[in-house]
């Protein structure tokens, strides 16, 4: 029996991940902690809590994920996404736990023009990306054989996300303006959770890019959401990122190359449109 600790267990990915781990590893003990049980910004208590639980695996999905919020509050972004990850890594060292931590496509600047490989040099454009990149570096420095999973454009039934937002706006407005100059791969938290389980089963280490396959812009993604939900009479208008003037700059093209996952682990995730269809058929009331 393994003891697996999920930190960030009440977040969008965390909830699906805990459910998936229970199904994938019925013999193991799965513990889920979130802000009620641990504050990863606190070095001493984070290390003590982890050491006392003595897990064999720690999967850290806790983060400050509001990209514009991070831009406006750099101190908190680094306290959670960088120092918080360092504290978790230090806790893991006290009990020899294996560490899995989640990272993001936003560590890249989006200027490459083709899908990013694990070994491509990070060059984040915003505070969120910089803080997550620092978190990656801490884990690599402190924990031997840690697993870093970079993913992107997540949606799932448990969190605020683009799918829910488009569904809600479609009920309120006849015209939706959606950005058409950022390209990525929408990724379903259930698919990602299954991939994380498989990576744990195979004791993967190092960096892996994990996302649903194929890519699109937010505009094409919004159109697919409406089409697959059977919503008619709502017009989607393509706009540029500049027109929205969000506090944080986003990469224009941050598609993750997932060939390493296929080559070394023997699987990839299904196309994003297929996963989205599956999600919408069971959660059409969301948003
Ligand atoms: N969402 C995306 O599109 C996306 C894309 C790429 C990578 N990722 C990465 O994937 C992971 C999961 O993302 P997600 O969207 O599931 O995030 P999420 O829904 O925001 O969940 C993160 C969880 O961590 C908790 N948390 C925040 N600060 C904490 C602290 N100091 N101590 C303990 N827990 C804390 C949050 O609690 P509160 O809600 O109360 O703050 C929340 O329950 C993150 O590492 C994220 O950076 C996400």
């Amino acid at each position: 029996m393994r003891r697996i600790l999920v930190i960030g267990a009440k977040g969008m990915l965390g909830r699906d991940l805990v459910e998936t781990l229970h199904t994938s590893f019925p013999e193991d003990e799965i513990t889920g902690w979130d802000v009620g049980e641990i504050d990863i910004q606190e070095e001493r208590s984070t290390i003590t809590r982890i050491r006392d639980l003595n897990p064999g695996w720690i999967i850290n999905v806790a983060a400050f994920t509001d990209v514009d919020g991070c831009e406006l509050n750099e101190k908190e972004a680094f306290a959670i996404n960088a120092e918080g990850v360092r504290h978790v890594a230090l806790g893991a060292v006290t009990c020899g736990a294996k560490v899995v931590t989640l990272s993001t496509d936003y560590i890249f600047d989006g200027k490459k023009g083709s899908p990013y490989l694990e070994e491509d040099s990070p060059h984040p454009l915003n505070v969120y990306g910089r803080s997550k990149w620092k978190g990656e570096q801490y884990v690599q420095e402190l924990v031997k054989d840690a697993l870093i999973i970079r993913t992107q454009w997540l949606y799932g039934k448990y969190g605020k996300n683009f799918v829910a937002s488009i569904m809600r706006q479609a009920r309120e407005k006849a015209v939706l303006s959606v950005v058409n100059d950022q390209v990525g791969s929408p990724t379903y938290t259930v698919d990602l959770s299954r991939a994380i389980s498989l990576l744990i089963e195979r004791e993967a280490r190092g960096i892996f890019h994990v996302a649903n396959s194929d890519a699109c812009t937010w505009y094409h993604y919004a159109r697919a959401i409406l089409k697959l939900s059977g919503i008619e009479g709502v017009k989607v208008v393509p706009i540029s990122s500049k027109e929205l003037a969000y506090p944080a700059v986003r990469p224009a093209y941050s598609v993750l190359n997932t060939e390493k996952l296929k080559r070394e682990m023997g699987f990839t995730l299904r196309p994003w449109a297929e996963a989205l269809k599956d999600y919408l058929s069971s959660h059409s009331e969301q948003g």
Side-chain angles (χ1 to χ4, degrees):
M1 187 210 71
R2 288 176 300 192
R3 181 171 292 155
I4 303 176
L5 169 62
V6 177
I7 303 179
K10 290 196 177 132
M12 181 166 66
L13 173 61
R15 284 178 191 262
D16 273 326
L17 179 61
V18 169
E19 283 176 17
T20 304
L21 292 172
H22 277 296
T23 310
S24 302
F25 308 127
E27 307 293 319
D28 291 342
E29 182 188 299
I30 316 295
T31 301
W33 286 349
D34 207 282
V35 282
E37 294 80 26
I38 192 168
D39 178 359
I40 63 169
Q41 293 181 77
E42 296 283 333
E43 177 170 343
R44 189 176 289 270
S45 60
T46 297
I47 295 172
T48 312
R49 294 278 287 137
I50 291 173
R51 192 197 56 213
D52 291 350
L53 183 74
N54 192 27
W57 284 82
I58 300 172
I59 313 174
N60 177 50
V61 299
F64 182 7
T65 54
D66 173 353
V67 176
D68 294 309
C70 285
E71 205 66 20
L72 302 171
N73 197 341
E74 183 164 356
K75 206 170 157 208
E76 195 183 350
F78 274 83
I80 299 171
N81 296 341
E83 297 306 317
V85 175
R86 184 172 71 84
H87 303 153
V88 171
L90 289 171
V93 170
T94 64
C95 53
K98 294 189 164 67
V99 175
V100 182
T101 198
L102 268 285
S103 192
T104 169
D105 57 325
Y106 282 9
I107 64 157
F108 296 117
D109 62 16
K111 293 177 183 153
K112 185 182 173 192
S114 61
Y116 281 94
L117 296 162
E118 285 79 356
E119 57 269 28
D120 282 330
S121 297
H123 183 232
L125 298 177
N126 56 41
V127 170
Y128 172 71
R130 285 205 298 280
S131 63
K132 294 290 291 183
W133 167 226
K134 188 74 194 163
E136 283 194 19
Q137 290 170 292
Y138 277 140
V139 167
Q140 284 180 315
E141 277 164 31
L142 294 167
V143 185
K144 193 173 165 280
D145 295 337
L147 169 62
I148 294 169
I149 298 174
R150 296 188 188 134
T151 189
Q152 64 177 179
W153 292 26
L154 296 185
Y155 67 91
K157 68 180 170 200
Y158 294 117
K160 274 195 224 160
N161 60 69
F162 185 77
V163 182
S165 163
I166 290 295
M167 300 285 280
R168 190 185 58 251
Q169 289 184 61
R171 285 197 291 271
E172 294 162 359
K173 303 180 200 169
V175 180
L176 310 183
S177 300
V178 183
V179 168
N180 197 30
D181 56 6
Q182 292 168 30
V183 182
S185 306
T187 299
Y188 184 21
T189 48
V190 167
D191 290 10
L192 176 58
S193 298
R194 289 181 187 141
I196 295 172
S197 286
L198 283 171
L199 288 168
I200 288 177
E201 203 171 276
R202 288 159 204 193
E203 308 225 348
R205 56 190 72 161
I207 302 173
F208 279 87
H209 288 175
V210 182
N212 280 116
S213 56
D214 298 343
C216 60
T217 68
W218 294 106
Y219 164 76
H220 288 107
Y221 183 18
R223 288 188 45 153
I225 293 164
L226 298 182
K227 188 167 176 230
L228 291 168
S229 326
I231 297 173
E232 287 172 1
V234 177
K235 193 169 174 217
V236 187
V237 178
I239 59 167
S240 72
S241 306
K242 279 201 182 114
E243 287 174 76
L244 282 183
Y246 281 142
V249 177
R250 271 85 166 159
Y253 184 96
S254 57
V255 179
L256 298 172
N257 182 314
T258 58
E259 281 298 313
K260 182 182 174 190
L261 187 69
K262 189 173 175 187
R263 197 175 57 246
E264 295 188 10
M265 296 290 138
F267 69 94
T268 46
L269 273 56
R270 59 188 163 165
W272 67 265
E274 210 178 288
L276 179 65
K277 190 175 174 189
D278 202 6
Y279 170 76
L280 287 170
S281 64
S282 44
H283 304 287
S284 54
E285 75 292 348
Q286 293 276 316

